[in-house]
Structure formats: C-alpha cells, structure tokens
Amino acid sequence: MNEPLVKAEVHGRVALLTLNRPKALNALNNELIAELYALLKKYDADNEIGCIVLTGNEKAFAAGADIGAMKDWTYHDVSSQDYLGGQWEELRRFRKPIIAAVAGYALGGGCELAMLCDFIIAADSARFGQPEIKLGVIPGFGGTQRLPRAVGKAKAMDLILTSRMMNAEEAERSGLVSRVVPADKLIEEALEAATVISSMSLPSVLMAKECVNRAFESSLEEGLLFERRNFHGLFATDDQKEGMRAFVEKRKPEFKHR
Ligand code: CO8
C-alpha cells in the first residue's frame, strides 16, 4: 500500500495532520489536497476532536503547489477546471481551529495554506515567501489577499514582487506568526496550544473563531453586532453555566462541549 500523503494521529482531543511528500518538500498536488480535505472534514465533524494541528517536516511545511504538475498547463486547462477552486477553496471553511506548525519552507501555496489556518506557530527555522512571480505567475490561493491583511501592504508587496523569503523572526515581528519556538520544540508547543484550545468549551471556541474571521469580512458595526448576538447565544449553552459556576466555586470547569 502507498504511504499516505497526509498522516493523521490523534492526541487526546487534538488531531495532528502531517503533510507527507518529503522528497518533493511537500509540494501540494491534487492528490495531497484531496487527502488533506478528507481528513479535515472527518476531524471537523468529530465531536471528540477540539482542535487540529497541521504540520510538515523539519525541512518544509510545503514548498508550494507542485510546479512539475502545473508546468505544461494552458490557460484553458486551469480556467476550465477552475484550478484552486473546489476542494482547495473548501479548505478554508472548516469550523474547528486549525493551527499551522511551520518548520522550514512555507512558500507559495505552502505559505497560503499556513495562512488559511487560524494561526501559525513557527520554528526558528521557518522561511515564508510567495515566490510565484519568479515562475511567471502570481499567488493563486489567497496570497495577495491574506498576506497584506497579516503583514500590511508594504511588506506584502515587497515579498510578492521581489520573491524574497522572510525568516521566522521577521514573520513574528510583522504579525504573520503568533510565536516562534526552537525547531525541536515545534510539535510539542503546537500540541500544547491545541490541547489548551480543545479543553475549552467547543461552542465558544467555534464562535470565537467565527467572530474573529468576521472582523475581516464586515464593517466594525456589523462585526460588533455579530459578536454581541453570538455572545448572547452562548448563554444558552450548558458550558456557560458550568464555566461561570466553576469560577465562582473556585474549581476547574468540566465542559461538556454543548
Ligand atoms: N513543486 C514541485 N517540486 C518541488 C517544489 C514545488 N513547489 N519545491 C521543491 N520541489 C522538489 C524539487 O524539484 C526537488 O525534487 P528532486 O529532488 O526530484 O529534484 C526536491 O523538491 C528538493 O528541492 P530542491 O532540490 O530544490 O531543494 P533546495 O533545498 O535546493 O531548495 C527551495 C529548496 C528553495 C524551497 C526550492 O525547492 C524551491 O525554490 N522550490 C520552489 C518554491 C516555489 O517556487 N514555490 C511556489 C510554487 S507555485 C505556487 O505555489 C502557486 C500557488 C498556488 C496555490 C496552491 C494552493 C495551496
């Protein structure tokens, strides 16, 4: 049997997904994306899972879309099959938090895949970039939209137009990653963060993710209303009663995730 292109392990309430095309620096092809999509769909729907960690290996999170596979495609090929539509596009719709744990290269589609996760924890070895311009194309999976939102226009233009890479320290300074850790502690740290998240009440975790994402899709007025109504809604959950009672009774809450 062939090795899976994405490996899955479960650690308590956390699913750890590892991109597994090491010889091609985890270059993203349709088969890998289909496996990733199927696993994310499975764990997103699994009540026993509260958070997902997506990682690569120490050399590469992913070095981009598979250039060898794309090289002979015509405009008609990519546009008629809506390349990067379909499952690629669906990757951003999952509701459970997904943490990208990035070591080594996160380039092109690899950087875009990391950016569509909810936050990025980087190893000190991580290198981020959108080098598509060197190939005669542009980022095609959100890079021109998500990178400026994360790091601002100046740095996004610099990276996208010159194709230069930025290291983990610069990525943290500019807001692309939430924390930088030693490479040998990356998975431990990401699993720890995911374990903390998955110990929280699932309805409030899902709501918090949705509300933060709404900040990028709406006016402040609309976003504040969306947040307030969802805040109100959480008072209908058992976990709100448990969380607040546990605080008052000076004990740890036992969330039932409902
Ligand atoms: N596609 C296919 N194969 C790749 C890719 C890639 N993106 N990146 C690396 N590989 C392969 C190499 O061809 C090589 O294979 P082989 O051993 O068979 O020759 C193997 O991985 C190892 O790579 P290198 O020998 O080049 O390793 P180095 O350590 O010398 O260099 C680099 C590492 C700098 C990362 C270099 O491999 C590189 O520049 N890779 C390409 C980076 C790039 O241009 N990425 C953008 C691709 S285009 C894109 O992503 C469009 C976005 C579309 C959206 C995708 C949705 C998720």
Side-chain angles (χ1 to χ4, degrees), residues 24-55:
L25 303 185
N26 290 333
L28 306 164
N29 58 16
N30 286 341
E31 294 73 27
L32 184 150
I33 291 299
E35 285 188 27
L36 178 61
Y37 176 79
L39 286 167
L40 287 171
K41 192 168 175 196
K42 171 177 156 184
Y43 290 119
D44 198 55
D46 183 343
N47 286 335
E48 301 305 311
I49 295 295
C51 190
I52 297 163
V53 174
L54 177 61
T55 195

Side-chain angles (χ1 to χ4, degrees), residues 66-230:
D66 190 322
I67 302 168
M70 291 185 292
K71 70 181 189 330
D72 295 323
W73 290 351
T74 64
Y75 171 76
H76 178 71
D77 293 335
V78 287
S79 70
S80 60
Q81 60 155 314
D82 192 24
Y83 181 55
L84 304 179
Q87 284 182 332
W88 295 79
E89 184 58 19
E90 289 299 313
L91 286 175
R92 68 191 176 93
R93 299 197 195 280
F94 293 108
R95 296 192 65 207
K96 302 239 168 96
I98 307 175
I99 303 174
V102 174
Y105 297 111
L107 301 177
C111 185
E112 292 169 306
L113 182 61
M115 286 193 290
L116 70 73
C117 295
D118 295 298
F119 63 95
I120 302 173
I121 299 181
D124 49 14
S125 63
R127 313 265 292 204
F128 298 88
Q130 297 288 166
E132 288 89 340
I133 202 117
K134 277 202 294 197
L135 303 168
V137 289
I138 61 170
F141 195 47
T144 65
Q145 304 303 302
R146 289 200 180 91
L147 193 60
R149 282 169 167 81
V151 305
K153 178 180 168 187
K155 201 174 281 287
M157 282 288 191
D158 177 0
L159 292 165
I160 290 169
L161 295 178
T162 68
S163 83
R164 82 173 172 88
M165 292 184 216
M166 91 181 149
N167 64 20
E169 194 255 313
E170 184 180 357
E172 186 184 30
R173 196 168 4 106
S174 54
L176 181 64
V177 313
S178 67
R179 34 180 139 157
V180 178
V181 301
D184 61 347
K185 294 275 183 295
L186 177 67
I187 298 303
E188 191 182 319
E189 188 98 10
L191 286 177
E192 221 171 276
T195 301
V196 169
I197 292 168
S198 62
S199 74
M200 306 298 175
S201 161
L202 185 59
S204 40
V205 166
L206 298 182
M207 216 59 100
K209 167 168 168 164
E210 223 162 271
C211 286
V212 173
N213 283 334
R214 196 47 85 96
F216 297 95
E217 306 287 350
S218 64
S219 67
L220 181 59
E221 188 67 29
E222 282 303 312
L224 289 172
L225 181 62
F226 186 78
E227 177 195 75
R228 194 159 67 248
R229 292 291 175 245
N230 281 307

